[in-house]
Amino acid sequence: METVNIHQAKTNLSLLLSRVELGEEIIISNEGIPVAKLVPFRTSSNRRSCLGQDRGRFVLPENFNDPLPKEILTAFEGNAE
């Protein structure tokens, strides 16, 4: 995340907004003290369009819902045998 001072932000606002639109976050500081953060504005309708964008990148193993091995269950449940 980049930090820019107020003068840089005023001079390069269009460029900074283009970067933010692509997902980057930029901090604006005054005399080295952060005062604002530029972040992408996403409405709830935009959020829906990104759902499922990783479809096909992960394959669920066939044994995903099988019971866990006894030693792992024991570790999770804290049962000492």
Coordinates of all heavy atoms in Angstrom, one line a residue:
M1 N 0.9 -1.2 0.0 CA 0.0 0.0 0.0 C 0.9 1.2 0.0 O 1.8 1.4 0.9 CB -0.9 0.0 1.2 CG -1.9 1.0 1.2 SD -3.1 1.0 2.6 CE -3.3 -0.7 3.0
E2 N 0.7 2.1 -1.0 CA 1.5 3.3 -1.1 C 1.0 4.4 -0.3 O -0.2 4.6 -0.1 CB 1.6 3.7 -2.6 CG 2.5 4.9 -2.8 CD 2.7 5.2 -4.3 OE1 2.2 4.4 -5.1 OE2 3.2 6.3 -4.6
T3 N 1.9 5.3 0.2 CA 1.5 6.5 0.9 C 2.0 7.7 0.1 O 3.1 7.7 -0.3 CB 2.1 6.5 2.3 OG1 1.7 5.4 3.1 CG2 1.7 7.8 3.1
V4 N 1.1 8.6 -0.1 CA 1.4 9.9 -0.8 C 1.0 11.1 0.1 O 0.1 11.0 0.9 CB 0.7 10.0 -2.2 CG1 1.1 8.9 -3.1 CG2 -0.8 10.0 -2.0
N5 N 1.8 12.2 -0.1 CA 1.4 13.4 0.6 C 0.3 14.1 -0.1 O -0.1 13.8 -1.2 CB 2.6 14.3 0.9 CG 3.2 14.8 -0.4 OD1 2.5 15.2 -1.3 ND2 4.5 14.9 -0.4
I6 N -0.3 15.1 0.6 CA -1.5 15.8 0.0 C -1.1 16.5 -1.3 O -1.9 16.4 -2.3 CB -2.0 16.8 1.0 CG1 -2.6 16.1 2.2 CG2 -3.0 17.8 0.4 CD1 -3.1 17.0 3.4
H7 N 0.0 17.1 -1.4 CA 0.4 17.7 -2.7 C 0.5 16.7 -3.8 O -0.1 17.0 -4.9 CB 1.8 18.4 -2.5 CG 2.3 19.0 -3.8 ND1 1.7 20.1 -4.4 CD2 3.3 18.6 -4.7 CE1 2.3 20.4 -5.5 NE2 3.3 19.5 -5.7
Q8 N 1.1 15.5 -3.6 CA 1.1 14.5 -4.6 C -0.3 14.0 -5.0 O -0.6 13.8 -6.2 CB 1.9 13.3 -4.1 CG 3.4 13.5 -4.0 CD 4.1 12.4 -3.3 OE1 3.6 11.9 -2.3 NE2 5.2 11.9 -3.9
A9 N -1.2 13.9 -4.0 CA -2.5 13.5 -4.2 C -3.3 14.5 -5.1 O -4.0 14.1 -6.0 CB -3.2 13.2 -2.9
K10 N -3.1 15.8 -4.8 CA -3.8 16.8 -5.6 C -3.3 16.8 -7.0 O -4.0 16.9 -8.0 CB -3.6 18.2 -4.9 CG -4.4 18.3 -3.7 CD -4.5 19.7 -3.1 CE -3.3 20.6 -3.3 NZ -3.4 21.9 -2.6
T11 N -2.0 16.7 -7.2 CA -1.3 16.8 -8.5 C -1.7 15.5 -9.3 O -1.8 15.7 -10.6 CB 0.2 16.9 -8.3 OG1 0.5 18.0 -7.5 CG2 0.9 17.0 -9.7
N12 N -1.8 14.4 -8.7 CA -1.9 13.1 -9.5 C -3.2 12.4 -9.2 O -3.3 11.2 -9.3 CB -0.8 12.2 -9.1 CG 0.6 12.8 -9.5 OD1 0.8 13.2 -10.6 ND2 1.4 12.9 -8.5
L13 N -4.3 13.2 -8.8 CA -5.5 12.5 -8.4 C -6.1 11.6 -9.5 O -6.5 10.5 -9.1 CB -6.6 13.6 -8.1 CG -7.9 13.1 -7.5 CD1 -7.7 12.2 -6.3 CD2 -8.9 14.2 -7.3
S14 N -6.1 12.0 -10.7 CA -6.6 11.1 -11.8 C -5.9 9.8 -11.8 O -6.5 8.7 -12.0 CB -6.6 11.8 -13.1 OG -7.4 12.9 -13.1
L15 N -4.5 9.9 -11.8 CA -3.7 8.7 -11.8 C -4.0 7.8 -10.6 O -4.1 6.6 -10.7 CB -2.2 9.0 -11.9 CG -1.2 7.9 -11.8 CD1 -1.4 7.0 -13.0 CD2 0.2 8.4 -11.7
L16 N -4.1 8.4 -9.4 CA -4.3 7.7 -8.2 C -5.7 7.0 -8.3 O -5.8 5.8 -7.9 CB -4.2 8.6 -7.0 CG -2.9 9.1 -6.7 CD1 -2.9 10.1 -5.5 CD2 -1.9 8.1 -6.4
L17 N -6.7 7.7 -8.8 CA -8.0 7.1 -8.9 C -8.1 5.9 -9.9 O -8.8 4.9 -9.6 CB -9.1 8.2 -9.3 CG -9.4 9.2 -8.2 CD1 -10.3 10.3 -8.7 CD2 -9.9 8.6 -6.9
S18 N -7.3 6.0 -10.9 CA -7.2 4.9 -11.9 C -6.6 3.7 -11.2 O -7.1 2.5 -11.4 CB -6.3 5.3 -13.1 OG -6.9 6.3 -13.8
R19 N -5.6 3.9 -10.3 CA -5.0 2.8 -9.6 C -6.0 2.2 -8.6 O -6.0 0.9 -8.4 CB -3.7 3.2 -8.9 CG -2.6 3.5 -10.0 CD -1.4 4.2 -9.4 NE -0.9 3.5 -8.2 CZ 0.0 4.0 -7.4 NH1 0.5 5.2 -7.6 NH2 0.5 3.3 -6.4
V20 N -6.7 3.0 -7.9 CA -7.7 2.6 -6.9 C -8.8 1.8 -7.6 O -9.2 0.8 -7.1 CB -8.2 3.8 -6.1 CG1 -9.4 3.4 -5.3 CG2 -7.1 4.4 -5.2
E21 N -9.2 2.3 -8.8 CA -10.2 1.6 -9.5 C -9.8 0.1 -9.8 O -10.7 -0.8 -9.9 CB -10.5 2.3 -10.8 CG -11.7 1.8 -11.5 CD -12.1 2.7 -12.7 OE1 -11.1 3.3 -13.3 OE2 -13.2 2.8 -13.1
L22 N -8.5 -0.1 -10.0 CA -8.0 -1.5 -10.3 C -7.9 -2.3 -9.0 O -7.4 -3.4 -9.1 CB -6.7 -1.4 -11.0 CG -6.8 -0.8 -12.4 CD1 -5.4 -0.6 -13.0 CD2 -7.6 -1.6 -13.3
G23 N -8.2 -1.7 -7.8 CA -8.2 -2.5 -6.6 C -7.1 -2.1 -5.6 O -7.0 -2.6 -4.5
E24 N -6.2 -1.2 -6.0 CA -5.2 -0.7 -5.1 C -5.7 0.2 -4.0 O -6.7 0.9 -4.2 CB -4.1 0.0 -5.9 CG -2.8 0.2 -5.2 CD -1.7 0.7 -6.1 OE1 -1.8 0.6 -7.3 OE2 -0.7 1.3 -5.6
E25 N -5.1 0.2 -2.8 CA -5.5 1.2 -1.8 C -4.3 2.1 -1.6 O -3.1 1.7 -1.6 CB -5.8 0.4 -0.5 CG -7.0 -0.5 -0.6 CD -7.4 -1.1 0.7 OE1 -6.7 -1.0 1.7 OE2 -8.4 -1.8 0.7
I26 N -4.6 3.4 -1.4 CA -3.5 4.4 -1.3 C -3.9 5.3 -0.1 O -5.0 5.7 0.1 CB -3.5 5.3 -2.6 CG1 -3.1 4.4 -3.7 CG2 -2.5 6.4 -2.4 CD1 -3.1 5.0 -5.1
I27 N -2.8 5.5 0.7 CA -3.0 6.4 1.9 C -2.5 7.8 1.6 O -1.5 7.9 1.0 CB -2.2 5.8 3.1 CG1 -2.8 4.4 3.5 CG2 -2.2 6.8 4.3 CD1 -2.0 3.7 4.6
I28 N -3.3 8.8 2.0 CA -2.9 10.2 1.9 C -2.5 10.7 3.2 O -3.2 10.5 4.2 CB -4.0 11.0 1.3 CG1 -4.4 10.5 0.0 CG2 -3.6 12.5 1.2 CD1 -5.7 11.1 -0.6
S29 N -1.3 11.3 3.3 CA -0.8 11.8 4.6 C -0.5 13.3 4.5 O -0.3 13.9 3.5 CB 0.5 11.0 4.9 OG 1.6 11.4 4.0
N30 N -0.5 13.9 5.7 CA -0.2 15.3 5.9 C 1.0 15.4 6.9 O 0.8 15.0 8.0 CB -1.4 16.0 6.4 CG -1.2 17.5 6.5 OD1 -0.3 18.0 5.9 ND2 -2.1 18.2 7.3
E31 N 2.1 15.8 6.3 CA 3.3 15.9 7.1 C 3.7 14.5 7.8 O 4.1 14.4 8.9 CB 3.2 17.0 8.2 CG 3.1 18.4 7.6 CD 3.0 19.5 8.7 OE1 3.1 19.2 9.9 OE2 2.7 20.6 8.3
G32 N 3.5 13.5 7.0 CA 3.9 12.1 7.4 C 2.8 11.4 8.3 O 3.0 10.3 8.6
I33 N 1.7 12.1 8.6 CA 0.7 11.5 9.4 C -0.5 11.1 8.5 O -1.1 12.0 7.8 CB 0.2 12.5 10.5 CG1 1.3 12.9 11.4 CG2 -1.0 11.9 11.2 CD1 1.0 14.0 12.3
P34 N -0.9 9.8 8.4 CA -2.0 9.4 7.6 C -3.3 10.1 8.0 O -3.6 10.2 9.2 CB -2.1 7.9 7.9 CG -0.8 7.5 8.5 CD -0.3 8.7 9.2
V35 N -4.0 10.6 7.0 CA -5.2 11.3 7.2 C -6.4 10.7 6.4 O -7.6 10.9 6.8 CB -5.1 12.8 7.0 CG1 -4.2 13.5 7.9 CG2 -4.7 13.1 5.5
A36 N -6.1 10.0 5.4 CA -7.2 9.4 4.6 C -6.7 8.2 3.8 O -5.5 8.0 3.6 CB -7.7 10.4 3.6
K37 N -7.6 7.4 3.4 CA -7.3 6.2 2.6 C -8.2 6.1 1.4 O -9.4 6.2 1.5 CB -7.4 4.9 3.4 CG -7.0 3.7 2.7 CD -7.6 2.4 3.4 CE -6.5 1.8 4.3 NZ -7.0 0.5 4.8
L38 N -7.6 6.0 0.2 CA -8.4 5.9 -1.0 C -8.6 4.4 -1.2 O -7.6 3.6 -1.3 CB -7.7 6.5 -2.2 CG -7.5 8.0 -2.3 CD1 -6.7 8.4 -3.5 CD2 -8.8 8.6 -2.4
V39 N -9.8 3.9 -1.3 CA -10.1 2.5 -1.5 C -11.2 2.4 -2.6 O -12.0 3.3 -2.8 CB -10.6 1.8 -0.2 CG1 -9.6 1.8 0.9 CG2 -11.9 2.5 0.3
P40 N -11.2 1.3 -3.3 CA -12.2 1.1 -4.3 C -13.6 1.2 -3.8 O -13.9 0.7 -2.7 CB -12.0 -0.3 -4.9 CG -10.6 -0.6 -4.5 CD -10.3 0.1 -3.2
F41 N -14.5 1.9 -4.5 CA -15.9 1.9 -4.1 C -16.7 0.8 -4.8 O -16.7 0.8 -6.0 CB -16.5 3.3 -4.4 CG -18.0 3.4 -4.0 CD1 -18.3 3.7 -2.7 CD2 -19.0 3.3 -4.9 CE1 -19.6 3.9 -2.3 CE2 -20.3 3.4 -4.6 CZ -20.6 3.7 -3.3
R42 N -17.2 -0.1 -4.0 CA -18.0 -1.2 -4.6 C -19.4 -1.2 -4.0 O -19.5 -1.3 -2.8 CB -17.3 -2.5 -4.3 CG -16.0 -2.6 -5.0 CD -15.4 -4.0 -4.9 NE -14.1 -4.1 -5.6 CZ -12.9 -4.0 -5.0 NH1 -12.8 -3.8 -3.7 NH2 -11.8 -4.1 -5.7
T43 N -20.4 -1.2 -4.8 CA -21.7 -1.3 -4.3 C -22.0 -2.8 -4.2 O -21.3 -3.6 -4.7 CB -22.7 -0.6 -5.3 OG1 -22.6 -1.3 -6.5 CG2 -22.4 0.8 -5.5
S44 N -23.1 -3.0 -3.5 CA -23.5 -4.5 -3.3 C -23.8 -5.1 -4.6 O -23.5 -6.3 -4.7 CB -24.7 -4.6 -2.3 OG -25.8 -3.9 -2.9
S45 N -24.2 -4.4 -5.6 CA -24.5 -5.0 -6.9 C -23.2 -5.4 -7.6 O -23.1 -6.4 -8.3 CB -25.3 -4.1 -7.8 OG -24.6 -2.9 -8.1
N46 N -22.1 -4.6 -7.4 CA -20.8 -5.0 -8.0 C -20.2 -6.2 -7.3 O -19.6 -7.0 -7.9 CB -19.8 -3.8 -7.8 CG -20.1 -2.7 -8.7 OD1 -20.9 -2.8 -9.6 ND2 -19.5 -1.5 -8.4
R47 N -20.5 -6.4 -6.0 CA -20.0 -7.5 -5.3 C -20.5 -8.8 -5.8 O -19.8 -9.8 -5.9 CB -20.4 -7.4 -3.8 CG -19.8 -8.5 -2.9 CD -20.1 -8.2 -1.5 NE -19.5 -9.2 -0.7 CZ -20.2 -10.2 -0.2 NH1 -21.5 -10.3 -0.3 NH2 -19.6 -11.1 0.6
R48 N -21.8 -8.8 -6.3 CA -22.3 -10.1 -6.8 C -21.6 -10.5 -8.1 O -21.5 -11.7 -8.3 CB -23.8 -9.9 -7.1 CG -24.6 -9.9 -5.8 CD -26.0 -10.2 -5.9 NE -26.8 -11.3 -5.8 CZ -26.5 -12.5 -5.3 NH1 -25.4 -12.8 -4.8 NH2 -27.5 -13.4 -5.2
S49 N -21.1 -9.6 -8.8 CA -20.5 -9.9 -10.1 C -19.2 -10.6 -9.9 O -18.7 -11.3 -10.8 CB -20.3 -8.7 -11.0 OG -19.4 -7.8 -10.4
C50 N -18.6 -10.5 -8.7 CA -17.3 -11.1 -8.5 C -17.5 -12.5 -7.9 O -16.5 -13.3 -7.8 CB -16.4 -10.3 -7.6 SG -16.9 -10.2 -5.9
L51 N -18.7 -12.9 -7.5 CA -18.9 -14.2 -6.9 C -18.7 -15.3 -8.0 O -19.2 -15.1 -9.1 CB -20.3 -14.3 -6.3 CG -20.6 -13.5 -5.1 CD1 -22.0 -13.6 -4.7 CD2 -19.7 -13.8 -3.9
G52 N -18.0 -16.3 -7.6 CA -17.7 -17.4 -8.6 C -16.6 -17.2 -9.6 O -16.4 -18.0 -10.5
Q53 N -15.8 -16.1 -9.4 CA -14.7 -15.8 -10.3 C -13.6 -16.8 -10.3 O -12.8 -16.9 -11.2 CB -14.2 -14.4 -10.1 CG -13.5 -14.2 -8.8 CD -13.1 -12.8 -8.6 OE1 -13.4 -11.9 -9.4 NE2 -12.3 -12.5 -7.6
D54 N -13.5 -17.6 -9.2 CA -12.5 -18.6 -9.1 C -13.0 -20.0 -9.4 O -12.4 -21.0 -9.1 CB -11.9 -18.6 -7.7 CG -11.0 -17.4 -7.5 OD1 -10.5 -16.9 -8.5 OD2 -10.9 -16.9 -6.3
R55 N -14.2 -20.1 -9.9 CA -14.8 -21.4 -10.3 C -13.9 -22.2 -11.2 O -13.3 -21.7 -12.1 CB -16.2 -21.2 -11.0 CG -16.9 -22.5 -11.3 CD -18.3 -22.3 -11.8 NE -19.1 -21.8 -10.7 CZ -20.0 -20.8 -10.8 NH1 -20.2 -20.2 -12.0 NH2 -20.7 -20.4 -9.8
G56 N -13.7 -23.5 -10.8 CA -12.8 -24.3 -11.6 C -11.4 -24.3 -11.2 O -10.6 -25.1 -11.6
R57 N -11.0 -23.4 -10.3 CA -9.6 -23.4 -9.8 C -9.3 -24.3 -8.6 O -8.2 -24.6 -8.3 CB -9.2 -22.0 -9.4 CG -9.2 -21.0 -10.5 CD -8.7 -19.7 -10.1 NE -8.6 -18.8 -11.2 CZ -8.0 -17.6 -11.2 NH1 -7.5 -17.2 -10.0 NH2 -8.0 -16.8 -12.2
F58 N -10.4 -24.8 -8.0 CA -10.3 -25.7 -6.9 C -11.2 -26.9 -7.1 O -12.3 -26.7 -7.4 CB -10.6 -25.0 -5.6 CG -10.6 -25.9 -4.4 CD1 -9.4 -26.3 -3.8 CD2 -11.8 -26.4 -3.8 CE1 -9.4 -27.1 -2.7 CE2 -11.8 -27.2 -2.7 CZ -10.6 -27.6 -2.2
V59 N -10.6 -28.1 -7.0 CA -11.5 -29.3 -7.1 C -11.7 -29.9 -5.7 O -10.7 -30.1 -5.0 CB -10.8 -30.3 -8.0 CG1 -11.6 -31.6 -8.1 CG2 -10.5 -29.7 -9.4
L60 N -12.9 -30.1 -5.3 CA -13.2 -30.6 -4.0 C -12.9 -32.1 -4.0 O -13.4 -32.9 -4.9 CB -14.7 -30.4 -3.8 CG -15.2 -30.5 -2.3 CD1 -14.5 -29.5 -1.4 CD2 -16.7 -30.4 -2.3
P61 N -12.1 -32.6 -3.1 CA -11.7 -34.0 -3.1 C -13.0 -34.8 -2.8 O -13.9 -34.4 -2.1 CB -10.8 -34.1 -1.9 CG -10.3 -32.7 -1.6 CD -11.4 -31.8 -2.1
E62 N -13.0 -36.0 -3.4 CA -14.1 -37.0 -3.2 C -14.4 -37.3 -1.7 O -15.5 -37.4 -1.3 CB -13.8 -38.3 -3.9 CG -13.9 -38.2 -5.4 CD -15.3 -37.9 -5.9 OE1 -16.3 -38.4 -5.3 OE2 -15.4 -37.2 -6.9
N63 N -13.3 -37.3 -0.9 CA -13.4 -37.7 0.5 C -13.6 -36.4 1.4 O -13.4 -36.5 2.7 CB -12.2 -38.5 1.0 CG -10.9 -37.7 0.9 OD1 -10.9 -36.6 0.4 ND2 -9.9 -38.2 1.5
F64 N -14.0 -35.3 0.9 CA -14.1 -34.1 1.7 C -15.0 -34.2 2.9 O -14.7 -33.7 4.0 CB -14.6 -32.9 0.8 CG -14.7 -31.6 1.5 CD1 -13.6 -30.9 1.7 CD2 -15.9 -31.1 1.9 CE1 -13.6 -29.6 2.3 CE2 -16.0 -29.9 2.6 CZ -14.9 -29.2 2.8
N65 N -16.1 -34.9 2.7 CA -17.1 -35.0 3.8 C -16.9 -36.3 4.7 O -17.7 -36.6 5.5 CB -18.5 -35.0 3.3 CG -18.9 -33.6 2.8 OD1 -18.6 -32.6 3.5 ND2 -19.6 -33.5 1.7
D66 N -15.9 -37.1 4.4 CA -15.6 -38.3 5.2 C -15.2 -37.9 6.6 O -14.7 -36.8 6.8 CB -14.5 -39.1 4.6 CG -14.9 -39.8 3.3 OD1 -16.0 -39.7 2.9 OD2 -14.0 -40.3 2.6
P67 N -15.5 -38.7 7.6 CA -15.1 -38.4 9.0 C -13.6 -38.3 9.0 O -12.8 -38.9 8.3 CB -15.6 -39.7 9.7 CG -16.6 -40.3 8.9 CD -16.2 -40.0 7.5
L68 N -13.2 -37.4 10.0 CA -11.8 -37.2 10.2 C -11.1 -38.4 10.8 O -11.8 -39.1 11.6 CB -11.5 -35.9 11.1 CG -11.9 -34.6 10.4 CD1 -11.8 -33.5 11.5 CD2 -11.0 -34.3 9.3
P69 N -9.8 -38.6 10.6 CA -9.2 -39.7 11.3 C -9.2 -39.5 12.8 O -9.3 -38.3 13.3 CB -7.7 -39.6 10.8 CG -7.8 -38.9 9.5 CD -9.0 -38.0 9.6
K70 N -9.2 -40.6 13.6 CA -9.4 -40.5 15.0 C -8.3 -39.6 15.7 O -8.7 -38.8 16.6 CB -9.3 -41.9 15.6 CG -9.6 -42.0 17.1 CD -9.7 -43.4 17.6 CE -10.2 -43.4 19.0 NZ -10.5 -44.7 19.5
E71 N -7.1 -39.6 15.3 CA -6.0 -38.8 15.9 C -6.3 -37.3 15.7 O -6.0 -36.5 16.6 CB -4.6 -39.2 15.4 CG -4.4 -39.1 14.0 CD -4.8 -40.3 13.1 OE1 -5.3 -41.2 13.6 OE2 -4.5 -40.2 11.9
I72 N -6.9 -37.0 14.6 CA -7.2 -35.5 14.3 C -8.4 -35.1 15.2 O -8.4 -34.0 15.8 CB -7.4 -35.3 12.8 CG1 -6.1 -35.5 12.1 CG2 -7.9 -33.9 12.6 CD1 -6.2 -35.4 10.6
L73 N -9.4 -36.0 15.2 CA -10.5 -35.6 16.1 C -10.1 -35.5 17.5 O -10.6 -34.6 18.2 CB -11.6 -36.7 16.0 CG -12.5 -36.7 14.8 CD1 -13.4 -37.9 14.7 CD2 -13.3 -35.4 14.8
T74 N -9.2 -36.3 18.0 CA -8.7 -36.3 19.4 C -8.0 -34.9 19.6 O -8.2 -34.3 20.6 CB -7.8 -37.5 19.7 OG1 -8.5 -38.7 19.4 CG2 -7.3 -37.4 21.1
A75 N -7.2 -34.5 18.6 CA -6.5 -33.3 18.8 C -7.4 -32.1 18.8 O -7.2 -31.1 19.6 CB -5.5 -33.1 17.6
F76 N -8.5 -32.1 18.0 CA -9.4 -31.0 18.0 C -10.3 -31.0 19.3 O -10.5 -29.9 19.8 CB -10.4 -31.1 16.8 CG -9.9 -30.4 15.6 CD1 -9.5 -31.2 14.5 CD2 -9.8 -29.1 15.5 CE1 -9.1 -30.6 13.3 CE2 -9.4 -28.4 14.3 CZ -9.0 -29.2 13.2
E77 N -10.7 -32.1 19.7 CA -11.6 -32.2 20.9 C -10.8 -32.1 22.2 O -11.4 -31.9 23.2 CB -12.4 -33.5 20.8 CG -13.4 -33.4 19.6 CD -14.0 -34.8 19.3 OE1 -13.7 -35.8 20.0 OE2 -14.9 -34.8 18.4
G78 N -9.5 -32.3 22.2 CA -8.7 -32.2 23.4 C -8.9 -33.4 24.3 O -8.6 -33.4 25.5
N79 N -9.4 -34.6 23.7 CA -9.5 -35.8 24.5 C -8.2 -36.5 24.7 O -7.5 -36.7 23.7 CB -10.5 -36.7 23.9 CG -11.9 -36.1 23.8 OD1 -12.2 -35.3 24.6 ND2 -12.7 -36.6 22.8
A80 N -7.8 -36.8 25.9 CA -6.5 -37.5 26.1 C -6.9 -39.0 26.2 O -7.7 -39.4 27.0 CB -5.8 -37.0 27.3
E81 N -6.2 -39.8 25.5 CA -6.4 -41.3 25.6 C -5.2 -42.0 26.1 O -4.1 -41.6 25.9 CB -6.9 -41.8 24.2 CG -8.2 -41.3 23.8 CD -8.7 -42.0 22.6 OE1 -8.2 -43.1 22.2 OE2 -9.6 -41.4 21.9

